[in-house]
Amino acid sequence: MSEFKNYINGKWVPAKFGKTFKNINPANIEDIIGDFAFSEQEDVNEAVAAAKAAFKTWRLVPAPKRGDMLRKAGDIFNRRKEELARIMTREMGKPVFETKGDIQEAIDTAYYAATETRRLFGHTAPSEMSNKMNLSFRYPVGVCGIITAFNFPIAVPSWKILPALAAGNTVVYKPSKDAPHSGVIFAEILEEAGIPPGVFNLLLGKGSMGNMIVEHPDVNLIAFTGSTDIGFKLGEICGRTNKKCSLEMGGKNAQIVMPDANFDLAIDGVLWGAFGTTGQRCTATSRLIIHKDCYDEFIGLLKEKAETLRLGSGLEESTQVGPVVHEQQLQTCINYTKIGKEEGAKLILGGERATDGNLAKGYFFKPTIFIDVTKDMRLFKEEIFGPILSVTKADSLEHAIELQNTCDFGLSSSIYTKNVNDAFKAVRDIEAGITYVNSPTIGAEAHMPFGGVKGTGNGHREGGWTVFDIFTEWKTVYIDFSDTLQRAQIDNY
Ligand code: UN1
């Protein structure tokens, strides 16, 4: 049995009390991936102390030199892409073509962050007074606690860890308990890229250990991706302890289809959006809002194509949809199917566990479509994080946008139409951090801001240039070379 350790202060170490936990392949629960360190408070203390000590020197390494290491990390991700994709698929389920895309996002992020180390622009501005200069620059926050989910086990951590390091912070990273092997590979790659001991530390373990990181007084910043429930709890701790905190949480993303849309394109879009990653994306299309003039026709075509989706182990070439991540998630899908039926929505596809042949060995749930879902139903409102799509009828574009906005979340959104006026109205009026026109709700690119409004986020954006607003503080500098005391707002007016 393989054993996987923590990476603290440049060394691979077991959890202090020697405890471990097992992780299994969700496509075949007889396939045990290994024993992973089960970290507790002592391990957290050690990792945070290492990160705190390393910050003293790492912050002074010239940013472009830090960038050189990140570029190298990007090269290693690229070199290990095939091998790593299979490791990720084995532990979290999505097909290999998707895990390769996940790694590509990390490669893009690494190269982008490396380049930003030569920019990280500040601002200069005129002074109110003579012989005085005003400037401002970014500086690192300190020790960053980074906590992520299983569904993008390389991409999402890379969005946080790589810019954090680029900006001169040090990191304590807790990957999901359902994707710890990917976390181990992440650490291996940063080690090989030459990131010095203590600058990046990996702690494997379960959810409660995340709380210990957030509570630790020497952690200065928390960046979290995961459920809204947990995000809100971590946000409360950060409020109480006055930590900088960036939260990326749930979604209930809708795709709108107008009668003039290219239906083939819109169907491919919604199938990829709803059932890609088995619906386990915060950007997944979990609601489809169809204009009444094409409602019946579009549903007919959608069902026909959705029936052809191939379920299976993500390690098999032909698989389009993998398993859900664990038994609890399977149960959630079963429960929501029951809820949907009780609420009066009409089930037209799936709605049950898939057990044919080898599928019985894993947590497979059939791609599921409910139609005639109304805005008061739980199916319409709650994030399921599984392959369940709710379809709702809209009377007009305005009604479709209103339905899309009737939601506690605001991450991603999409509209399919050929009418440029309708597209721009949707872009303007949809309440979400991301709107796609004629493409699905998933597909964020590394160099653009990523994040959401309402219950999805707390005002931050990862990705692109905006991620540095999370991982840096501003220093404002006034330089007076007048040789006199110039009292601002007093002597000059
Ligand atoms: C997530 O679901 O947590 O746009 C991130 C996308 C991906 C990232 C999703 N590039 O769907």
Side-chain angles (χ1 to χ4, degrees):
M1 171 79 59
S2 311
E3 206 185 312
F4 298 94
K5 295 178 180 162
N6 289 332
Y7 181 69
I8 299 177
N9 210 13
K11 293 200 174 63
W12 292 95
V13 289
K16 268 254 169 339
F17 296 120
K19 277 212 254 172
T20 59
F21 68 98
K22 288 194 195 317
N23 194 29
I24 57 168
N25 176 350
N28 175 6
I29 61 174
E30 289 159 16
D31 177 22
I32 298 167
I33 294 161
D35 285 318
F36 294 85
F38 185 99
S39 308
E40 293 172 278
Q41 188 67 57
E42 282 69 12
D43 306 289
V44 173
N45 294 349
E46 205 173 302
V48 174
K52 190 180 176 187
F55 180 61
K56 291 201 182 101
T57 46
W58 181 245
R59 61 183 269 274
L60 300 177
V61 173
K65 288 262 171 270
R66 298 194 295 254
D68 290 344
M69 296 177 212
L70 296 176
R71 194 172 306 103
K72 194 162 173 209
D75 292 343
I76 304 167
F77 273 117
N78 209 6
R79 193 190 77 216
R80 296 187 66 178
K81 195 170 178 180
E82 291 289 327
E83 165 220 352
L84 176 52
R86 296 188 81 76
I87 287 172
M88 292 157 75
T89 294
R90 185 176 169 215
E91 72 175 350
M92 57 70 65
K94 67 184 175 186
V96 168
F97 71 88
E98 286 197 45
T99 44
K100 280 191 201 159
D102 193 316
I103 300 163
Q104 187 58 45
E105 244 174 291
I107 297 167
D108 299 339
T109 303
Y111 294 150
Y112 186 90
T115 309
E116 274 303 298
T117 59
R118 289 186 182 266
R119 292 158 47 94
L120 285 178
F121 293 137
H123 297 276
T124 58
S127 170
E128 291 174 6
M129 286 167 284
S130 314
N131 295 319
K132 196 173 168 192
M133 194 181 280
N134 297 353
L135 55 96
S136 61
F137 63 90
R138 292 180 185 276
Y139 75 106
V141 182
V143 177
C144 301
I146 292 179
I147 300 172
T148 57
F150 71 89
N151 60 339
F152 278 82
I154 292 292
V156 168
S158 82
W159 293 355
K160 302 174 198 294
I161 293 166
L162 304 179
L165 297 178
N169 302 283
T170 56
V171 168
V172 173
Y173 170 46
K174 178 200 169 293
S176 161
K177 69 167 179 24
D178 301 307
H181 197 176
S182 302
V184 169
I185 307 288
F186 209 114
E188 281 177 15
I189 288 174
L190 292 185
E191 182 183 33
E192 188 185 337
I195 300 292
V199 171
F200 172 80
N201 305 277
L202 171 81
L203 287 174
L204 305 172
K206 302 239 172 155
S208 53
M209 189 264 290
N211 265 43
M212 296 171 195
I213 296 175
V214 182
E215 289 275 7
H216 200 291
D218 289 335
V219 172
N220 307 101
L221 178 154
I222 293 297
F224 167 82
T225 293
S227 73
T228 300
D229 273 4
I230 295 178
F232 279 12
K233 282 185 191 133
L234 300 187
E236 276 180 36
I237 304 176
C238 291
R240 172 163 53 73
T241 54
N242 196 27
K243 287 186 177 125
K244 204 169 179 187
C245 170
S246 162
L247 304 172
E248 273 309 327
M249 301 173 284
K252 191 73 191 174
N253 315 291
Q255 174 178 316
I256 295 173
V257 179
M258 297 299 287
D260 63 355
N262 175 339
F263 286 178
D264 289 335
L265 188 70
I267 284 165
D268 285 345
V270 69
L271 290 179
W272 173 228
F275 303 122
T277 322
T278 325
Q280 301 170 114
R281 296 189 185 218
C282 52
T283 51
T285 311
S286 45
R287 296 182 297 156
L288 177 64
I289 299 171
I290 310 177
H291 191 284
K292 64 177 180 352
D293 293 349
C294 60
Y295 188 76
D296 294 329
E297 183 188 354
F298 193 85
I299 287 170
L301 296 168
L302 172 68
K303 180 169 185 277
E304 209 176 287
K305 193 123 190 218
E307 276 166 350
T308 67
L309 289 172
R310 281 184 307 274
L311 242 72
S313 160
L315 295 170
E316 284 157 23
E317 193 78 20
S318 60
T319 293
Q320 289 171 298
V321 182
V324 295
V325 70
H326 45 47
E327 198 173 354
Q328 199 187 329
Q329 190 54 45
L330 186 68
Q331 201 50 52
T332 301
C333 294
I334 293 167
N335 288 348
Y336 271 99
T337 302
K338 197 163 152 261
I339 290 167
K341 286 180 185 163
E342 282 166 7
E343 286 180 317
K346 195 167 153 207
L347 179 70
I348 60 158
L349 190 77
E352 60 186 0
R353 185 175 185 169
T355 49
D356 292 350
N358 279 342
L359 298 183
K361 288 190 184 166
Y363 303 128
F364 289 94
F365 194 79
K366 293 184 181 167
T368 296
I369 302 178
F370 276 101
I371 64 167
D372 301 346
V373 175
T374 59
K375 69 178 186 336
D376 306 315
M377 295 182 185
R378 287 182 62 190
L379 221 48
F380 185 86
K381 293 193 274 202
E382 295 174 17
E383 184 178 47
I384 300 172
F385 224 63
I388 300 183
L389 177 69
S390 302
V391 186
T392 302
K393 191 190 284 185
D395 298 331
S396 60
L397 173 71
E398 287 68 27
H399 185 217
I401 295 173
E402 190 191 315
L403 284 167
Q404 131 70 42
N405 291 344
T406 307
C407 180
D408 290 339
F409 302 101
L411 180 55
S412 189
S413 55
S414 150
I415 179 162
Y416 280 75
T417 178
K418 288 193 195 126
N419 181 321
V420 72
N421 294 350
D422 285 354
F424 273 92
K425 278 184 199 153
V427 165
R428 184 191 61 195
D429 294 337
I430 285 176
E431 296 165 1
I434 306 170
T435 297
Y436 292 90
V437 177
N438 292 324
S439 57
T441 61
I442 64 182
E445 299 175 25
H447 59 292
M448 296 299 285
F450 180 93
V453 298
K454 300 180 179 171
T456 295
N458 66 338
H460 295 285
R461 291 292 181 273
E462 301 184 318
W465 57 97
T466 45
V467 71
F468 292 99
D469 294 334
I470 301 173
F471 289 105
T472 59
E473 293 283 4
W474 281 101
K475 166 71 64 79
T476 305
V477 186
Y478 297 101
I479 303 165
D480 191 319
F481 46 98
S482 69
D483 241 358
T484 49
L485 172 64
Q486 303 196 82
R487 294 175 302 176
Q489 296 94 36
I490 297 172
D491 293 332
N492 49 339
Y493 286 103

